[in-house]
DNA sequence: TTGAAAGCGCTAACAG
DNA sequence: CTGTTAGCGCTTTCAA
């Protein structure tokens, strides 16, 4: 593998000149630039990022910590993050934590010296620990608000509220909520929001689960929900929803005739057959991009600068999967 | 961030001793070891992998190139690869290529200097290109046999053959195959196998698709399959299968009474409600581990050594989702 | 606009 | 078993 020196020799200039030609072309005379580039091309030269990292202290890597990769929501975030990072010549190292605080902490400390910043999807570490890391490397939180850190969350509660309003309007009085994993910060928030609404409208919310957000779990809970007397069901995510719908189909439970259905995100639902399902669309990809863009800003910008976090709005698609309750 | 020198000073030894204490403890006297470790601990020292990489030429990274992360099959491979790599203190950098030859080539060349080896999931580059890279860094192919490279594939055709035999035995004569993406090497092989069987048993195989391996695509094709007169259907993967089953449920098509069903891998099917589906289980995680283990072997072992690739066996689970054809 | 020189943090002979 | 001495490949003052 050709090194800077090789190129320098080939082009008849010094290594520093080659270095400048590669990273700050404007500092080099046009004619030399051409010569250097030709030489580099000839030798198939590519800068060695590890060596560069050693001098600059920047590796060109961001780390993205995700609970797991099977969840399409996280997969989407990761993909979007990679894409955006790629635009500024950076890479995203994905570390799977299993939602385990220990593994998350380990990944943070192990990667600290190798990356320029962290994006932590649904972090489970304590705010203090995250802030501690942040003192040395930029940390951005996704899907959970962490004091002192730039955080990007999704206004799912707001979106669900819209759905809820609609349900009330249609005359529903007893609604099921199929809850996601208890470790999920989002889920806790969603539940809080639901309870609040319930109080306001004097509705009853029955919580099912919590369950792992998996197809099979949704299917397994579907009958229970159908038999519960609830006239509508809100589902934590669309993986679960798929499972629920699957089982409803098998059981002959009809949507929305027998029960109204809505989901909290609509990944993979885009072109489901049959009537579209009311969904609160979570911008998973935007979360990934927002995080990377904030990290980029911190790394490239003023030392102390901390970009503002945001709560990304959801898009609510109200469809005919919501109808008046059967007995209403 | 404390460096080797800092620790050396703190412990009253030379930097080399600290270096040895960290990477080859057996070369250091017990008493010094203790002292060095204490010093390191006190200073919160962690070796800087970039610096180490610069001297050793090893980054401790493997790259895993995957077509996409939404596909649970790839996600499973990636997760398993990460886990195994972690056991030897390495990390796996996941690069999403979108199944695009250009992006795959770019990832290969861009990462070449940053990783110790590549595992390429379902590579789309030419064998020549892959071999070219392999001359400089170990490359392992997953899910496609590439001459000159250690390759790990899955004996899905064999597994499907078993299913096929059973279908024949049950009296089926007309079988549908819902095909995966045409770019898939595996899919082409599976199809070849099916055709071969068909010839042997004088059966008819109707190919539906090819389609993207997504839930919605499966659902969208289900009716067509149900109406086709085929008495059994083999599905390219379980994501598609889920979609097919979903739609069958909605259409009132019963399995196996109306149609027999089998799938080519059973990710996410583990605890589906209802009768279990006949499936050819693809050991996605084993593929990831095999690849990493081969890479590890190449990196740690003799320079020229190339581990043998394998065709991993599938596990076929024959269930009651297969029954005699309706009209038989 | 360019070159010389120093050094980032670590490892690897080579002596001792 | 431990210290000394060179770099690994790059960037970055500082001078020219």
């Amino acid at each position: 593998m050709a090194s800077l020196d090789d190129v320098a020799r080939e082009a008849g200039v010094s290594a520093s000149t080659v270095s400048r030609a590669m990273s700050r072309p404007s500092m080099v005379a046009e004619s030399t630039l051409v010569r250097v580039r030709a030489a580099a091309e000839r030798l198939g030269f590519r800068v060695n990022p590890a060596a560069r990292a050693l001098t600059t202290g920047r590796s060109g890597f961001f780390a993205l910590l995700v609970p797991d990769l099977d969840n399409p929501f996280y997969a989407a975030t990761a993909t979007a993050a990679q894409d955006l990072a790629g635009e500024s010549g950076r890479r995203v190292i994905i570390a799977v934590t299993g939602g385990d605080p220990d593994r998350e902490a380990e990944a943070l400390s192990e990667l600290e010296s190798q990356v320029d910043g962290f994006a932590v999807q649904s972090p489970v570490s304590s705010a203090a620990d995250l802030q501690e890391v942040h003192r040395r490397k930029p940390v951005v939180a996704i899907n959970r608000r962490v004091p002192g850190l730039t955080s990007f969350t999704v206004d799912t509660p707001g979106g669900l509220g819209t759905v809820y309003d609609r349900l009330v309007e249609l005359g529903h009085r007893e609604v099921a909520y199929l809850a996601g994993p208890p470790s999920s910060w989002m889920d806790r928030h969603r539940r809080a929001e639901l309870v609040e609404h319930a109080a306001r409208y004097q509705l009853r919310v029955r919580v099912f689960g919590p369950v792992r957000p998996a197809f099979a779990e949704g299917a397994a809970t579907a009958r229970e929900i159908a038999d519960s007397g609830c006239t509508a069901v809100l589902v934590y995510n669309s993986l679960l929803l798929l499972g629920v719908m699957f089982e409803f189909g098998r059981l002959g439970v009809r949507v929305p005739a027998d029960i109204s259905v809505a989901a909290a995100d609509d990944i993979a639902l885009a072109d489901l057959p049959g009537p579209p399902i009311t969904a609160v669309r979570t911008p998973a990809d935007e979360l990934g991009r927002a995080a990377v863009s904030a990290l980029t800003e911190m790394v490239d910008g003023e030392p102390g600068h901390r970009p503002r976090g945001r709560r990304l709005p959801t898009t609510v698609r109200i469809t005919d999967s919501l109808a008046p309750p059967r007995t209403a």
Side-chain angles (χ1 to χ4, degrees), chain A:
Chain A
M1 187 89 289
S3 76
L4 259 195
D5 280 300
D6 298 330
V7 179
R9 210 169 305 122
E10 174 86 9
V13 296
S14 77
S16 341
T17 302
V18 180
S19 172
R20 293 192 191 98
M22 302 317 280
S23 27
R24 253 98 56 99
S26 64
M27 295 183 71
V28 172
E30 186 60 29
S31 58
T32 3
L33 198 53
V34 174
R35 215 143 31 90
V36 171
R37 285 198 171 139
E41 173 79 13
R42 232 171 301 142
L43 271 44
F45 169 80
R46 306 204 57 132
V47 329
N48 178 330
R52 168 179 285 172
L54 195 53
T55 35
T56 60
R58 304 249 195 72
S59 65
F61 282 129
F62 287 143
L64 172 66
L65 274 51
V66 292
D68 80 280
L69 239 30
D70 291 331
N71 189 323
F73 178 75
Y74 298 136
T77 310
T79 303
Q82 287 221 342
D83 288 348
L84 183 60
E87 288 180 17
S88 61
R90 275 177 259 251
R91 293 229 153 243
V92 173
I93 295 180
I94 300 168
V96 178
T97 65
D100 172 24
D102 291 342
R103 286 178 65 187
E104 189 174 294
E106 194 195 309
L108 284 169
S109 87
E110 201 178 292
L111 286 169
E112 191 178 306
S113 55
Q114 327 207 40
V115 303
D116 302 337
F118 289 97
V120 191
Q121 172 74 273
S122 312
V124 289
S125 301
S126 73
D129 286 351
L130 294 168
Q131 288 154 2
E132 165 69 23
V133 175
H134 182 65
R135 278 214 283 278
R136 276 163 277 129
K137 287 279 160 83
V139 177
V140 167
I142 304 177
N143 230 358
R144 167 179 155 197
R145 212 159 35 238
V146 178
L149 302 187
T150 300
S151 311
F152 295 100
T153 56
V154 175
D155 185 23
T156 314
L160 276 184
T162 306
V163 172
Y164 219 83
D165 286 344
R166 175 66 182 146
L167 286 174
V168 169
E169 191 178 304
L170 287 167
H172 291 268
R173 319 237 89 232
E174 181 132 15
V175 172
Y177 175 60
L178 178 49
S183 61
S184 158
W185 185 87
M186 281 314 280
D187 186 64
R188 287 198 297 276
H189 266 243
R190 279 181 206 169
R191 239 185 283 185
E193 171 84 356
L194 286 176
V195 169
E196 199 183 298
H197 269 259
R200 205 147 62 220
Y201 294 102
Q202 303 189 310
L203 284 188
R204 288 218 296 162
V205 174
R206 302 256 306 262
V207 177
F208 292 80
V211 297
R212 280 184 306 110
F215 185 91
E217 300 275 334
T221 321
R223 160 158 262 147
E224 202 187 333
I225 292 172
D227 292 345
S228 71
C230 291
T231 55
V233 55
L234 301 179
V235 183
Y236 174 74
N237 81 0
S238 52
L239 220 52
L240 279 172
L241 177 79
L242 250 34
V244 168
M245 293 298 288
F246 176 86
E247 191 64 2
F248 279 175
R250 290 192 353 125
L251 295 171
V253 173
R254 291 152 40 115
V255 175
D258 298 321
I259 191 166
S260 291
V261 171
D265 68 45
D266 68 351
I267 291 174
L269 262 69
D271 43 353
L272 245 189
I277 302 298
T278 295
V280 178
R281 160 144 240 291
T282 303
D285 45 0
E286 251 192 77
L287 278 178
R289 279 193 292 271
V292 165
S293 136
L295 286 176
T296 307
E297 225 179 280
M298 290 196 250
V299 169
D300 292 343
E302 320 276 301
H305 173 62
R306 183 158 76 70
R308 291 198 43 181
R310 274 184 301 141
R311 166 186 281 218
L312 305 183
T314 50
T315 322
V316 181
R317 185 184 52 175
I318 298 277
T319 72
D320 289 344
S321 75
L322 265 34
R326 194 175 191 171
T327 56

